Amino acid sequence: GAGVSQTPSNKVTEKGKYVELRCDPISGHTALYWYRQSLGQGPEFLIYFQGTGAADDSGLPNDRFFAVRPEGSVSTLKIQRTERGDSAVYLCASSFGGGHGELFFGEGSRLTVL
Amino acid sequence: GIQVEQSPPDLILQEGANSTLRCNFSDSVNNLQWFHQNPWGQLINLFYIPSGTKQNGRLSATTVATERYSLLYISSSQTTDSGVYFCAGGFGNEKLTFGTGTRLTIIP
């Protein structure tokens, strides 16, 4: 597609439920990033993929969070046993990689945990 | 990790005014980018500017890498310039660390 696509745009769930958020990057971009943004804050890094592998997952807050990118394109962020504090906008970005790090963001997935 | 400080936190201007936004980094970076987050939450990449000066229409940016800061200039502001401006820095393709942003409001 022309831009980074994220689904769903909005997700409301109950505490304790499992959630999956999907990101489809710009075609040809090898690097993919997940960020989380809370109200009034800047985006906070979660995980970075180069190809299929997670090159840096140091931003994942705990083991309830996991992300995959099995074919080096689409990525899924998975959150188990959701908590109210997980409520935020989850942003995905992609770039060409190879040293050219200009990031292009999707519109985000707004997660609300009740 | 890298700390990113942005100033001012808030800026209210009349349409047509000029503005300068600043970003300071606690450590050297070789990947520095400016973004505009519009009122609908979409983050738009404005500049990839690890050093030097770039211009795009009414917007320009300058990064002085040796002194670890970058400036974003907006001239002849329009109401569509309103939103939050973020700078972010890092190394190569590694994670970018974002500042807390400058909220710009342009009054007609």
Side-chain angles (χ1 to χ4, degrees), chain A residues 33 35 37 98-99 101 103 107, chain B residues 33 37 42 45 93 95-96:
Chain A
Y33 307 78
Y35 283 81
Q37 188 175 25
L103 255 57
E107 295 185 351
Chain B
Q33 302 185 35
Q37 190 163 42
Q42 175 73 52
N45 195 303
N93 292 316
K95 64 185 179 186
L96 289 183

Side-chain angles (χ1 to χ4, degrees), chain A residues 55-91:
Chain A
D56 182 355
D57 64 358
S58 62
L60 296 178
N62 51 60
D63 61 7
R64 296 186 298 104
F65 289 74
F66 190 70
V68 295
R69 195 186 184 198
E71 297 178 358
S73 179
V74 171
S75 176
T76 304
L77 179 66
K78 308 180 181 196
I79 311 174
Q80 298 178 321
R81 304 183 305 281
T82 51
E83 300 178 356
R84 292 194 181 88
D86 298 335
S87 296
V89 177
Y90 289 80
L91 296 164

